[in-house]
Amino acid sequence: MWYSTSVFPYAFGIFHILIYLSRKPSHPQLEAFIKHMSKGSAAQMDGSLSSLPRYPSHSLCEMGELTQTGVVQHLRNGQLLREIYINKHKLLVSDWTAKQLYLETTGKSRTLQSALALLYTFLPDFDWKKINMRHQWSTIFCSGSCDCPMRNHYLEEEQRRQYSLRVKNSDLEKIYVDMAKIVGIPTRQLRASNPIDSLLCYFCHNVSFPCTKTGCIGMEHFKVIKRHQLEDERERQEKKLYFLYALLATHPLLNQTVNRLQRIAEGKKEEVFVLYSAHDVTLSPVLSALGITEARFPRFAARLVFELWQDGKRPKEHFIRILYNGADVTFQTSFCKDYYKRSSKPMCPLEKFVTFVKRDMFLVFNSTSYYDACRRRPL
C-alpha cells in the first residue's frame, strides 16, 4: 500500500532568460503554465515569497535566476511524478485538499519557480487557493536546529581542503591565470570562487563561453576545471571532512522526514506529499550523509524522493524506498546495505532509517544526540 512521499528537487538556477514559447526546449503545458502563474494572487506565500515572480519574465539575463530550460525540466519532473504517484498509486485525487501537501522553499525566485513548475504538472488540478508555500531561510533546511558549532568547523576544514587541492594543481593554476586575464579580475579571486558553476551555466545551455577584448574562455578551460572537480570529489570521499559536515548539516531535515514518516505509519493524519525546493548545497550533503557515495554532484533539476510503503499482509510493517533522479538507491545507503544482502524484499524497513537518524548518525562523533555531536570536539 502506498502512503507518502517527500521530494527534494534541486532548482535549476543560473542566468535568467525571458520565456518564449517558440524557443527550445519547450513543453506541451508551458503556455498554460505561464498563463496560470500570472493568476497566483490567491496563493498563501510566507513572508518575502509573495513578492517573488512566479516564473521567469524579465527581458534581460540576470545571474542566479531560472531559465526556460529549468522551467521545462521541472514541468517534466512533475509529469513523471504524476504518472507514478497520481495516475498509478492515486496518492491524490481530484478533490485533494491543502492539508495533504507540505511545501517549503528557500527565498530564491529560482527555487520558488522550480517548485511551482513541478507542482503544476504533478497535481491533479493546480488550484492556487490550495497552495501554501512556506519559506525556509536556511539552504540546509535546518529550521529551528541550526545552532551547530561543529558543523561549521567541519565545513571550514572542508573548504580549506578544497582550496589546498586547487592551489596544488599546476594545470588548474595556469587556467585560472589565463581566465582571470580574460575577465579582468585578480587570479586569487577567481581561484577562491571556483568558477565551475558559472561555466556549467553556459555549457548546459549550449551557449558559447564569454569573450572579452583580451580573449575568450574556451572548452580547454572548462575541461581542466571539470577534471579537477572530479579529482576533488574523489579526495572529498577519502578525507571524510565533508561527510562529517554532511551528517550534522542534514540531521535536522532527515529528522523531520523520519518523524513525519513515523506519524503516518502510526495512523496519524499527515501530509501525503512533501516538497522541499532546494539547492545543490542542500541535496549534496543529504546524499553524502545517507552514504550514497556513487551519486555524483547534483545536476540541474536533480530530485531525491523518499517513499513510505505498508506491507499489505502485515499492516504494521512499513518500508521506505529512496530514488535519486528516478533510480532506486535504497540499498546504496549505509543503513540498508547489509539488509539487502540478507533479505529478498525490495525495500528497506522503516525502523532501519529511524535508527540511522535517531542514533547511528552520531556514532562517528562518539555522541548520542545531535546537540552533543554539535558541540563535541574531536579527540
Side-chain angles (χ1 to χ4, degrees):
M1 181 184 296
W2 170 252
Y3 256 148
S4 172
T5 185
S6 298
V7 182
F8 300 75
Y10 160 29
F12 192 114
I14 29 185
F15 48 85
H16 188 104
I17 299 177
L18 180 68
I19 288 183
Y20 293 100
L21 300 178
S22 59
R23 175 190 287 146
K24 293 182 179 179
S26 190
H27 189 277
Q29 291 177 268
L30 181 60
E31 183 175 6
F33 167 74
I34 295 170
K35 290 179 179 178
H36 213 88
M37 290 303 105
S38 64
K39 304 173 183 177
S41 58
Q44 298 180 60
M45 299 275 181
D46 272 1
S48 60
L49 295 180
S50 58
S51 64
L52 297 177
R54 307 290 195 260
Y55 70 97
S57 56
H58 295 172
S59 58
L60 297 176
C61 297
E62 296 179 3
M63 287 302 296
E65 301 297 330
L66 200 67
T67 67
Q68 178 166 330
T69 302
V71 171
V72 168
Q73 281 192 299
H74 283 299
L75 289 173
R76 290 173 179 169
N77 274 344
Q79 196 171 17
L80 287 170
L81 296 178
R82 180 190 177 108
E83 289 172 3
I84 297 297
Y85 302 126
I86 305 298
N87 298 346
K88 182 178 179 180
H89 291 294
K90 313 299 180 186
L91 184 66
L92 293 169
V93 293
S94 57
D95 60 345
W96 62 276
T97 67
K99 292 182 179 179
Q100 293 178 293
L101 302 184
Y102 182 89
L103 312 174
E104 192 168 329
T105 178
T106 59
K108 299 293 185 181
S109 61
R110 63 181 180 267
T111 51
L112 174 61
Q113 292 166 5
S114 295
L116 292 174
L118 185 147
L119 289 169
Y120 185 75
T121 48
F122 170 73
L123 295 172
D125 176 36
F126 189 95
D127 185 346
W128 278 116
K129 297 185 183 69
K130 301 178 184 178
I131 301 299
N132 181 6
M133 192 70 70
R134 295 163 179 83
H135 177 217
Q136 173 57 244
W137 66 271
S138 166
T139 57
I140 57 173
F141 284 68
C142 53
S143 300
S145 302
C146 296
D147 182 19
C148 186
M150 290 309 298
R151 178 198 67 219
N152 300 336
H153 166 76
Y154 289 120
L155 178 59
E156 290 168 2
E157 290 294 307
E158 166 63 13
Q159 289 170 339
R160 277 193 279 269
R161 181 203 63 78
Q162 291 177 11
Y163 187 79
S164 175
L165 187 65
R166 287 200 291 270
V167 171
K168 292 176 184 176
N169 189 327
S170 58
D171 291 336
L172 185 68
E173 185 64 18
K174 292 175 183 176
I175 290 295
Y176 280 164
V177 171
D178 192 32
M179 288 177 63
K181 288 179 181 177
I182 292 173
V183 298
I185 63 173
T187 303
R188 65 178 182 278
Q189 183 179 338
L190 189 74
R191 188 190 302 117
S193 67
N194 191 16
I196 184 64
D197 268 357
S198 299
L199 294 180
L200 280 171
C201 297
Y202 291 90
F203 183 79
C204 293
H205 282 76
N206 197 27
V207 175
S208 298
F209 293 121
C211 289
T212 67
K213 293 179 180 179
T214 54
C216 291
I217 293 175
M219 187 57 70
E220 66 276 11
H221 299 99
F222 179 76
K223 286 180 178 178
V224 171
I225 293 175
K226 184 61 180 175
R227 188 162 59 243
H228 173 77
Q229 184 193 35
L230 298 177
E231 182 184 348
D232 179 77
E233 287 182 9
R234 286 191 294 270
E235 185 181 271
R236 185 177 74 179
Q237 290 191 15
E238 293 172 3
K239 299 292 185 181
K240 299 293 184 182
L241 289 168
Y242 186 82
F243 175 65
L244 297 175
Y245 158 75
L247 289 173
L248 296 177
T250 63
H251 182 264
L253 180 57
L254 291 176
N255 195 46
Q256 288 178 40
T257 302
V258 157
N259 290 341
R260 179 176 279 113
L261 296 179
Q262 283 185 299
R263 289 193 298 268
I264 295 171
E266 291 166 0
K268 297 174 182 176
K269 289 186 178 181
E270 289 284 330
E271 305 91 355
V272 297
F273 182 78
V274 178
L275 175 68
Y276 296 101
S277 190
H279 304 264
D280 54 357
V281 293
T282 319
L283 194 51
S284 184
V286 171
L287 294 168
S288 179
L290 294 175
I292 306 174
T293 56
E294 295 178 27
R296 299 286 295 277
F297 196 80
R299 68 192 188 196
F300 294 129
R303 66 186 188 276
L304 182 67
V305 178
F306 290 80
E307 299 176 346
L308 177 66
W309 291 80
Q310 182 187 47
D311 191 314
K313 296 180 179 179
R314 300 179 180 85
K316 291 185 178 181
E317 292 188 13
H318 292 82
F319 299 83
I320 65 163
R321 198 164 70 120
I322 302 174
L323 301 100
Y324 182 50
N325 294 328
D328 190 338
V329 294
T330 309
F331 298 114
Q332 292 180 31
T333 61
S334 59
F335 56 87
C336 232
K337 283 180 180 177
D338 292 338
Y339 178 81
Y340 176 66
K341 296 173 183 176
R342 301 193 308 268
S343 174
S344 59
K345 290 186 177 180
M347 297 183 193
C348 183
L350 174 60
E351 58 264 28
K352 290 276 186 183
F353 187 34
V354 173
T355 300
F356 170 72
V357 173
K358 300 290 186 180
R359 187 193 69 186
D360 294 350
M361 289 184 80
F362 313 126
L363 296 180
V364 69
F365 304 107
N366 194 28
S367 300
T368 57
S369 70
Y370 174 67
Y371 181 88
D372 185 55
C374 282
R375 286 153 181 82
R376 185 183 291 272
R377 286 274 174 183
L379 298 176

